[in-house]
Amino acid sequence: MLMHPVQQFHFLLEIARVLASSLDLKDVFQRILQSAVEILHGQIGLLALRARRGHLQVVAAYGLPPTLLPRFRPLLEDIPYSRTEEGWSISRQDILSRLHLVAEATGLSLRQVVAIPLTIEDEFLGLLYIFRTSERPFTVEEEYLLRTFADLAAIAVRNARLYTALQLERNRLRAIIDNSADGIMILDAECRVEVINRTLSRMTGWPVEKARGKPGHAVLHLENASEPDPCVQMEKGIPFKEQIYREGDIVRPSKPRITVGVTYTPVFDEAGELQYIIVNVNDITRFREAEEMKSTFISVISHELKTPVALIKGYAATLRREDVQWDMDTIREGLQIIEEEADRLTHLIDNLLDASRIQAGGLKLEFEEVDLKEVIKRVVDGFQVQTAAHQIVIDVPDDLPPVWADRERIRQVLDNLLSNAIKYSPEGGVIRVGAWANTHEVTVYVADQGIGIPEEEQPYLFERFYRVDTSLRRKTKGAGLGLFLAKALVEAHGGRIWVHSKPGEGSTFFFTLPIAGAPRENDRPSP
């Protein structure tokens, strides 16, 4: 006899409460199965869901020792369910024949069974079994009631799927945000930080946890901004209605300035109320530097080219005047200046070509054993006759081993370093060029007693077109390519280049070259 309707309602209400409050699917299934068995006056119950391979897997059992579950296999494998116009159906006769096999295998007195399919939107999910040890068969009313429990179990499966899908989507979104190369921040309708990813945390210096709940304009504060901060504008009562793009600088103490482009995208609900703001932050420092470098290149090159061209044209025009008869000394002086300026143009063009080859990866070196002492002597002799204010001293041991290098390229490096040493030592003094050797490499240095280099500018010395910002720089010629080329050439040999300098105390540039016959850096055994 069926349980009183009031009791049935109580059971169903309790299960509905569990469905609404619990995410523990196993507990929900157990409650549903227990209630179904008790209401239908059964003794044993099983709830089995279809696994990926098609067979059924028990997810909840009632009134049955776990050790006996494997013996219910006939009711879990190759079940002949089919789809009809009314839904999914199970062959009752087939289930009863399988019941006898299970009864023999378990030793249980199983007399009756009812199997109700679990379905969601016409998808077969599994079966709900209720067993009786008595001969009393299940009535149509009992089967109808059991379908209610099966529907509740199906709802639980759907809820679990939705929750799992939601968690997967949240995890996927969190992974995308956290691992994005761009900075991402999500603000609530009050412009307070809800989400900030690791990239933006590194940019701003704000730890992720400390940033949450803080005003967006405090976490992402821009200097030299191209547009007002929309969050600050909202505080002033100016509504935020459409996407806004602004650029500016993130400035942190003792950290390099970062130039960023920031896009603020408002998201509204159906009623037009602001829900949250998505903030994308792109690091455009390199782009801005490239623009500045392009501008610098045009400025420097135009200046460096115009001066010698103007001198060449001026002296050539003067010498070819037909109304003046020039003496030989004047002609020689004019021709000498034309030659010097032509050499200067050639040197500048060669440097530009070398810089272009380096950028394109097309720089080629002709390696051989090079007597570095002989190269240093030739370079020094060439410069010593050009200056009377400087004494250039060579400090190279006689037993310095030969290096594996491109002779002309190393001479080019020494030319650039010595030229700078003379140029930035306007008061003259001693310039020392020396070298020493260790196991694998030779270290070369060029030391002057000039104006020195401020510490904050030293990291940028070897960049293209960079020149130290001094009054002397503005009086001296140069395109800012010498040290860039020197660094590229030294590194192409597998060496390193660096500087030690203090303002007012001069500068010493060092670079290394591999000893001929010594193992290269990549060939050396690991320590």
Side-chain angles (χ1 to χ4, degrees), residues 258-368:
I258 301 175
T259 303
V260 294
V262 186
T263 303
Y264 298 79
T265 305
V267 179
F268 302 93
D269 61 14
E270 294 180 355
E273 294 293 327
L274 180 65
Q275 295 298 296
Y276 50 90
I277 303 166
I278 300 175
V279 184
N280 292 93
V281 184
N282 298 309
D283 186 346
I284 59 172
T285 306
R286 290 186 179 275
F287 174 77
R288 183 67 60 83
E289 288 175 350
E291 288 293 312
E292 291 176 357
M293 186 175 293
K294 179 180 177 181
S295 175
T296 302
F297 172 80
I298 294 172
S299 174
V300 169
I301 297 306
S302 62
H303 176 267
E304 292 297 319
L305 287 175
K306 284 171 67 176
T307 302
V309 168
L311 286 171
I312 291 171
K313 183 177 181 180
Y315 273 91
T318 300
L319 292 175
R320 67 183 295 271
R321 286 178 58 181
E322 296 180 356
D323 60 333
V324 180
Q325 295 293 325
W326 302 108
D327 59 71
M328 289 305 297
D329 289 339
T330 302
I331 293 173
R332 287 193 188 94
E333 181 183 351
L335 292 176
Q336 181 181 352
I337 291 175
I338 290 174
E339 184 179 11
E340 289 174 353
E341 294 303 321
D343 288 342
R344 180 180 164 194
L345 271 177
T346 300
H347 179 69
L348 175 60
I349 292 169
D350 287 342
N351 279 349
L352 289 171
L353 289 174
D354 284 340
S356 177
R357 292 189 189 103
I358 289 168
Q359 286 297 107
L363 184 67
K364 294 182 179 179
L365 302 178
E366 300 293 335
F367 285 96
E368 60 179 326

Side-chain angles (χ1 to χ4, degrees), residues 4-25:
H4 192 277
V6 174
Q7 292 176 302
Q8 293 178 26
F9 178 76
H10 172 75
F11 272 105
L12 293 175
L13 190 63
E14 176 62 20
I15 293 172
R17 186 191 66 79
V18 172
L19 278 174
S21 62
S22 177
L23 293 174
D24 186 347
L25 197 60

Side-chain angles (χ1 to χ4, degrees), residues 469-494:
D469 188 14
T470 63
S471 58
L472 180 59
R473 182 208 71 176
R474 291 184 282 274
K475 298 176 184 177
T476 57
K477 301 175 181 178
L481 284 174
L483 290 178
F484 168 75
L485 292 172
K487 180 175 185 290
L489 292 172
V490 168
E491 290 181 347
H493 283 78

Side-chain angles (χ1 to χ4, degrees), residues 216-230:
H217 60 80
V219 174
L220 183 59
H221 173 70
L222 299 185
E223 294 189 5
N224 308 315
S226 60
E227 299 288 340
D229 191 311

Side-chain angles (χ1 to χ4, degrees), residues 190-234:
E190 301 298 323
C191 267
R192 295 191 174 274
V193 178
E194 287 188 348
V195 175
I196 178 174
N197 71 345
R198 290 193 294 262
T199 300
L200 188 55
S201 175
R202 287 193 295 268
M203 286 182 181
T204 61
W206 276 85
V208 173
E209 294 302 324
K210 287 188 177 181
R212 290 195 182 104
K214 294 291 190 298
H217 60 80
V219 174
L220 183 59
H221 173 70
L222 299 185
E223 294 189 5
N224 308 315
S226 60
E227 299 288 340
D229 191 311
C231 290
V232 175
Q233 296 292 90
M234 286 175 63

